[in-house]
């Protein structure tokens, strides 16, 4: 009980220093909803980044206009640090915005979103640093920047040129906010686990996620059963093939995502040799490309 | 007088591309305008009348031209050949306008009729409306993209085109984008677009709108502001041209701020602190007046700052702190593992899909450092065991967390971990200091003119590392072609040459150099590369790099080429004697003897060329027929009477018998042996001794003797003379000296 009041106090003293984690998400979502984005729900599977969500990976293909914003829990098994590193997580949150076609004022829209969470361009140093992006497992390529605010990388900004091996026409703009980092900056916190998740109830990021980081790090690095993972990967790949035969794009794409995650786990487990790696990536990409074909064919 | 101003505004352009792009814009404008008859800066020779400028969000060009209009232009059209007859000519004339003149003109394909007609005067505005769209459409960027509002391809979305002649906007359209009337200033600081009425007005108003359009001026501004801060805090001035240039490419209105670090981070050492600050944050690490690293750094922000840039400084300090804490954390964990454990992790890191893992690379490297070629060539004690150990652990830090985070610290971290392993008696330790140094230095030189390894083992490891890369990529057919060199093999080859020729440690151990071809052969073994690579591809590739190197260092092109043509240079590819050979020959051809011999050589070559034409007539092979043959064979075929003997019994005159003495087989063999031992002085002495007999020969002997057998024998004798001289250099490539 005593512990809890103490936490409440910490949360309070931080109040006014910046938005809580959940308030930050809400503010950004509201902002983008006002720009005509559909607020889509997170995808219910283990994926490495918001780009893999069908709301981006598939919807950014084809001609129909599309605008969406969503939070996507993202898993990068090899990035786990047992809950000990103040900056690294194997599970974290991205806020993803996808605008198709990318509007001419997309940079200005983005700057205004930063202002909405208290980062006014006049007071801060906001820069666009060259960062061309490629997602080999998804057969994706784009040009853009990483956006820095006072030296801190707060977003990835990409004009998609290619997704699932297909040319993007029209070109979409993708904006990805690294929510933990952004919140740490806004709140002035040096350790991710000290983030104020919510003020009432008074919760820190650590309260919610530290245990998971510890346990999943053990799982990812030393416990996950390699043989099972290998067979899971093969199963998912086979299942995807079978679904592609039946021309069921979305179920097949799910299996492709599964395969991708099993690959990431195998990688974290140290079970992917240097020469085998390109082959795994190629196999996943191949599935993604075929899913896209069927998706586009309707 | 007319003034032209063009500005192409886009979203943020990578700093490394801005200046070159602006120059290309200016050049393209100049070229296209000149083609249409305008007196551009290149035409007039007044280069300062053309200005290229760039900022993170724009490239531009301004030009002053003496006239705004081109009069008296003519257009030409080619008609039928004069052989085509009257009818064709009539048809042609009929198709022309009335005022056109018809003339005959000789061309490569024969004589043709041409129609010349007058054209209306061309206005600069009209020309631009035609030129600029084509320049923009065909502009080449190192990487470019598409975006929705336009059909163009540009480095980042092109958002504005400003094209002014004498301050007045020229209306034009490119890829769905119309030219603007207004110019825009700084993205954040400036609000209202403005209308410039001249280039100087544009510059002034841009400045008011917080944009300095000249890159150099932004660099100067950074230096000036940085200087004020370093002075004030008793620090050394910044000295990092690379980061300075990048910083000026990242801000339209650079403003320099001072950040502070916790002193405890200084324990990380300068290499790590400055690398973290530079690559991640584009910040300048600083040193105190005595040269010691100081707990300060400089931030270059964009735009005018509020409240002394408090928020910006605080933000950057916090990021630097997090980064450096990460570094401490990574290093702690890496040290716990030690180099041996890290080296085990190399299996998971690919060198290249088809060339195995970094572990394979380390294994090959260890073997190559024990190379026979190297050990044989060493004049002192070859550091065998140090090299074996350093090769084994050279790549281990690639598996470390610190290098995963800061790739440019590769090598440096390995050296540090080796040292700390030694202290703790842990894995990888127990060896001597030399190993750590070799690991730390073996990626040098990291830039074309970057510093070289200081230690012997470091230099050797650096050499072997590159040779392994060349052999590997060559074996899978990934040689550089044209402008494509994805694995930077040319750079690797240049590094090898610098190591062999400039590294003090290397020159001391290998005063007579290293046969690069032999070393390549050893490096090729594990890849089971084909014989062809060793015989053809590698020598041609490496010879070209060596030629570049030597001419870059001021040696005359023709002599370098002539020496590189000799069999001995191509087979050993030992850069040390080749360089000596070139410089000795350079002095020689300036002497009286040398000049005379060169003249004689050309005369001989002329006689032999005539002879070939006569003897072979039309049946001669054209170059292209022979293209499938190896280069050396091709050369031999191209040389008439190459390597043909002569008959002593047919030598009639004493002068030709005298000359023949110098060209008998044993003497030529001796010459070849001397060259093989790289005794260039002796070889040139031989060359010098030829002068008198050659002069006598030409003064007293008539080559074209009526007796065909004697004549042919004389021709053969001269061919022998040429061949002997060619052992030293291909004199046909050498120009006569003043």
């Amino acid at each position: 009980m005593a512990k809890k009041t103490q936490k409440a106090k910490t949360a309070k003293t931080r109040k006014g220093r910046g938005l809580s984690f959940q308030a930050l998400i809400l503010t950004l979502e509201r902002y983008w909803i006002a720009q005509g984005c559909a607020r889509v729900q997170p995808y219910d599977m283990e994926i490495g980044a918001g780009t893999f969500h069908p709301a981006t990976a598939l919807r950014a293909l084809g001609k129909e206009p599309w605008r969406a914003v969503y939070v996507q829990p993202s898993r990068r098994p090899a990035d786990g640090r047992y809950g000990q590193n103040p900056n690294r997580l194997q599970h974290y949150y991205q806020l993803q915005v996808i605008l198709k076609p990318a509007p001419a004022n997309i940079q200005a829209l983005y700057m205004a979103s930063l202002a909405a969470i208290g980062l006014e361009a006049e007071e801060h140093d906001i820069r666009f640093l060259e960062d061309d992006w490629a997602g080999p497992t998804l057969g994706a390529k784009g040009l853009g920047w990483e956006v820095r605010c006072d030296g801190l990388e707060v977003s990835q900004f990409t004009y998609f040129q290619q997704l699932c091996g297909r040319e993007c026409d029209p070109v979409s703009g993708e904006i990805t906010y690294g929510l933990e980092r952004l919140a740490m900056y806004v709140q002035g916190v040096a350790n991710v686990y000290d983030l104020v998740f919510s003020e009432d109830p008074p919760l820190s990021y650590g309260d919610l996620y530290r245990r998971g980081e510890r346990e999943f790090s053990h799982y990812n690095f030393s416990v996950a059963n390699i043989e099972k993972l290998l067979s899971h990967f093969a199963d998912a790949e086979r299942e995807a093939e079978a679904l592609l035969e039946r021309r069921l794009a979305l179920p097949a794409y799910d299996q492709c995502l599964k395969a991708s995650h099993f690959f990431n786990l195998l990688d974290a487990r140290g079970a992917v040799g240097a020469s085998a790696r390109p082959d795994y990536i190629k196999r996943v990409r191949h599935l993604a490309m075929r899913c896209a074909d069927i998706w586009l064919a309707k | 007088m007319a003034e032209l101003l063009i500005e192409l505004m886009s979203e943020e352009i990578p700093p490394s591309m801005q200046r070159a792009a602006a120059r290309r814009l200016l050049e393209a404008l100049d070229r296209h305008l000149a083609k249409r008859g305008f007196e551009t800066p290149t035409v007039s020779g007044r280069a300062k009348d053309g200005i290229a400028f760039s900022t993170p969000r724009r490239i531009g060009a301004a030009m002053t031209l003496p006239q705004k209009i081109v009069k008296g232009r003519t257009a030409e059209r080619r008609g039928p050949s004069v052989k085509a007859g009257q009818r064709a000519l009539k048809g042609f004339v009929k198709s022309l306008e009335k005022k056109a003149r018809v003339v005959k003109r000789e061309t490569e394909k024969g004589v043709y009729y041409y129609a010349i007609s007058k054209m209306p005067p061309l206005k600069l505005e009209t020309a631009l409306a035609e030129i600029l769209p084509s320049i923009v459409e065909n502009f080449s960027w190192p990487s470019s993209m598409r975006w929705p509002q336009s059909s163009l391809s540009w480095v980042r979305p092109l958002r504005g085109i400003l094209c002014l002649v004498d301050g007045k906007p020229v209306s034009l359209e490119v890829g769905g984008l119309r030219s603007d009337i207004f110019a825009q200033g700084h993205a954040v600081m400036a609000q209202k677009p403005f209308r410039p009425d001249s280039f100087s007005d544009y510059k002034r108003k841009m400045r008011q709108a917080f944009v300095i359009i000249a890159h150099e001026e932004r660099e100067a501004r950074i230096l000036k502001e940085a200087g004020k801060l370093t002075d004030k805090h008793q620090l050394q001035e910044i000295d990092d041209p690379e980061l300075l240039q990048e910083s000026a490419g990242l801000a339209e209105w650079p403003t320099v701020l001072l950040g502070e670090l916790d002193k405890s981070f200084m324990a990380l050492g300068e290499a790590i602190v400055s690398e973290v600050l530079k690559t991640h944050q584009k910040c300048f690490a600083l040193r105190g007046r005595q040269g010691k690293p100081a707990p300060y750094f400089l931030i270059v922000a964009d735009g005018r700052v509020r409240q002394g840039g408090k928020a910006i400084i605080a933000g950057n300090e916090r990021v630097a702190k997090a980064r450096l804490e990460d570094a401490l954390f990574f290093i702690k964990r890496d040290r716990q593992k030690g180099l041996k454990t890290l080296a085990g992790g190399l299996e998971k890191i690919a060198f290249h899909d088809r060339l195995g893992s970094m572990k394979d690379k380390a294994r090959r490297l260890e073997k190559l450092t024990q190379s026979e070629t190297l050990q044989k060539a060493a004049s002192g004690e070859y550091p065998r065991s140090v090299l074996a150990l350093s090769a084994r652990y050279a790549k281990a830090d690639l598996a470390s967390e610190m290098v995963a985070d800061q790739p440019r610290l590769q090598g440096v971290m390995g050296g540090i971990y080796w040292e700390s392993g030694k202290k703790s008696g842990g894995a990888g330790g127990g060896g001597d200091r030399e190993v750590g140094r070799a690991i730390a230095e073996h990626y040098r030189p990291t830039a074309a003119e970057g510093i070289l390894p200081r230690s012997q083992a470091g230099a050797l490891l650096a050499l072997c590392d590159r040779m392994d890369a060349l052999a590997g990529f060559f074996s899978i057919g990934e040689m550089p072609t044209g402008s494509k060199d994805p694995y930077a093999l040319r750079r690797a080859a240049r590094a090898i040459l610098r190591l062999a020729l400039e590294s003090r440690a290397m020159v001391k151990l290998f005063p007579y150099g290293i046969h690069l071809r032999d070393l390549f052969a050893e490096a090729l073994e594990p890849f089971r590369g084909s014989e062809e690579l060793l015989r053809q591809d590698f020598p041609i590739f490496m010879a070209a790099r060596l030629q570049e190197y030597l001419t870059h260092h001021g040696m005359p092109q023709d002599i370098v080429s002539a020496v590189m043509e000799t069999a001995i240079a191509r087979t050993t590819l030992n850069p040390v004697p080749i360089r000596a050979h070139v410089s000795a020959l350079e002095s020689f051809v300036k002497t009286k003897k040398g000049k005379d011999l060169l003249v004689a050589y050309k005369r001989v070559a002329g006689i032999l060329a005539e002879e070939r034409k006569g003897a072979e007539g039309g049946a001669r092979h054209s170059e292209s027929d022979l293209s499938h043959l190896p280069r050396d064979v091709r050369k031999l075929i191209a040389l008439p009477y190459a390597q043909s003997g002569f008959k002593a019994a047919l030598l009639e005159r004493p002068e030709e018998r005298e000359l023949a003495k110098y060209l008998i087989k044993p003497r030529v063999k001796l010459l070849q042996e001397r060259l093989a031992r790289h005794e260039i002085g002796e070889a040139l002495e031989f060359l010098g001794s030829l002068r008198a007999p050659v002069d006598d020969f030409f003064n007293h002997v008539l080559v074209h003797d009526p007796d065909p057998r004697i004549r042919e024998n004389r021709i053969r004798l001269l061919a022998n003379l040429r061949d002997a001289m060619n052992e030293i250099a291909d004199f046909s490539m050498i120009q006569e000296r003043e």
Side-chain angles (χ1 to χ4, degrees), chain B residues 412-656:
Chain B
V412 174
M413 294 319 300
I416 292 173
Y417 295 153
W418 173 268
E419 278 301 305
S420 57
K422 211 173 76 181
K423 269 179 221 142
S424 64
D432 60 90
R433 234 191 145 79
E434 285 298 301
V435 176
R437 278 185 69 182
I439 297 173
E441 294 183 334
H442 86 283
Y443 289 102
R444 291 186 195 169
T446 53
E449 304 294 330
I451 48 167
L452 295 169
R454 292 240 174 103
S455 69
Q456 225 165 49
L460 275 161
L461 193 57
L463 183 81
C464 291
D465 194 14
R466 269 102 175 176
M467 204 46 111
D468 175 77
L470 288 183
F473 286 109
F474 270 58
S475 77
I476 56 167
E478 292 281 1
M479 301 93 168
T481 50
S483 64
K484 289 208 181 87
D485 184 9
Y487 303 104
L489 300 182
R490 290 193 185 111
R491 195 168 70 200
R494 282 192 283 268
I496 288 175
L497 294 175
R498 281 196 61 205
L499 286 162
L501 289 166
E502 295 169 27
S503 152
R504 271 197 219 161
M506 289 286 274
V507 173
K508 200 169 159 216
L509 189 59
F510 302 102
Y512 305 107
I514 300 161
H515 293 339
L516 294 180
R517 189 166 173 273
D518 294 351
L519 188 60
F520 179 80
E522 285 188 74
L524 203 56
E525 273 167 29
F527 302 107
R528 291 188 287 273
S530 74
E531 182 60 23
E532 189 75 356
L533 295 174
L534 191 59
R535 222 185 51 230
Q536 276 255 64
D537 301 291
F538 178 74
I540 290 175
F541 169 79
M542 203 67 203
R545 302 291 87 72
L546 184 53
Q547 234 164 303
E548 283 163 15
Y549 178 93
L550 295 174
T551 44
H552 180 73
H553 285 77
M555 298 194 149
Q557 177 96 48
D558 59 333
I559 294 185
V560 172
S561 304
V563 169
M564 289 314 301
E565 279 303 308
T566 61
I568 194 69
R570 299 188 80 85
T571 48
T572 69
L573 283 167
N574 185 343
V576 171
I578 292 174
R579 182 176 57 182
H581 195 134
V582 171
S583 84
L585 192 61
E586 186 191 359
S587 318
F588 180 77
V589 295
K590 282 183 198 150
T591 62
K592 177 81 175 65
K593 258 186 198 166
K595 283 179 188 167
D596 289 350
L597 272 169
L598 190 57
V599 172
Y601 181 95
K602 303 242 151 147
R603 195 163 162 192
V604 168
I607 292 170
L608 291 170
E610 275 303 306
E611 205 49 36
R612 179 169 81 168
K613 264 193 201 160
E616 295 171 8
R620 202 167 58 136
H621 300 285
S622 77
E623 291 281 325
S624 57
D625 294 338
L626 304 173
S627 59
H628 63 284
L629 293 170
R631 183 192 161 91
D632 296 348
V633 177
R634 235 163 39 214
K635 271 206 82 163
L636 270 185
I637 291 178
L639 287 177
Y641 293 98
Q643 295 177 8
S644 57
F646 55 88
K647 291 199 176 92
L650 290 172
L651 300 171
E652 286 192 327
R653 302 205 39 104
E655 291 84 2
E656 59 180 327

Side-chain angles (χ1 to χ4, degrees), chain B residues 349-360:
Chain B
I349 300 172
F351 172 54
H352 179 273
D353 291 5
R354 292 163 65 198
L355 298 174
S357 68
M358 276 296 169
K359 180 132 206 155
D360 300 324

Side-chain angles (χ1 to χ4, degrees), chain B residues 156-174:
Chain B
R156 292 292 184 277
L158 184 65
R159 298 296 186 196
I161 299 174
L162 191 69
C163 176
L164 304 182
V165 170
D166 288 335
K168 291 188 191 62
V170 176
S171 167
L172 51 88
E173 194 194 315
V174 197

Side-chain angles (χ1 to χ4, degrees), chain B residues 26-38:
Chain B
L26 179 66
E27 282 161 14
L29 271 173
D30 190 301
R31 200 172 53 243
H32 285 276
L33 286 172
K35 217 163 73 188
R36 283 165 178 76
F38 287 93

Side-chain angles (χ1 to χ4, degrees), chain A residues 200-271:
Chain A
D200 189 16
L203 286 171
S204 74
Y205 195 89
D207 293 336
L208 278 113
Y209 299 113
R210 198 196 286 268
R211 179 166 172 174
E213 283 300 314
R214 198 169 55 236
E215 294 188 354
F216 274 102
S217 294
H218 282 291
Y219 174 75
N220 299 340
F221 289 130
S222 32
V223 180
N225 185 318
I226 293 178
E227 267 164 41
K228 291 236 167 75
L229 288 175
L230 287 169
S231 77
H232 288 341
F233 182 90
D235 285 347
E237 192 182 26
R238 253 196 308 272
E239 188 75 350
E241 300 276 356
L243 291 164
L244 285 165
E245 285 299 311
R246 307 284 299 270
R247 303 190 62 77
L248 297 170
L250 289 169
Y253 183 69
D254 274 9
Q255 294 303 319
C256 167
L257 293 180
K258 273 190 208 285
S260 171
H261 180 61
F262 291 133
F263 163 67
N264 289 340
L265 278 172
L266 282 165
D267 198 24
R269 214 42 195 88

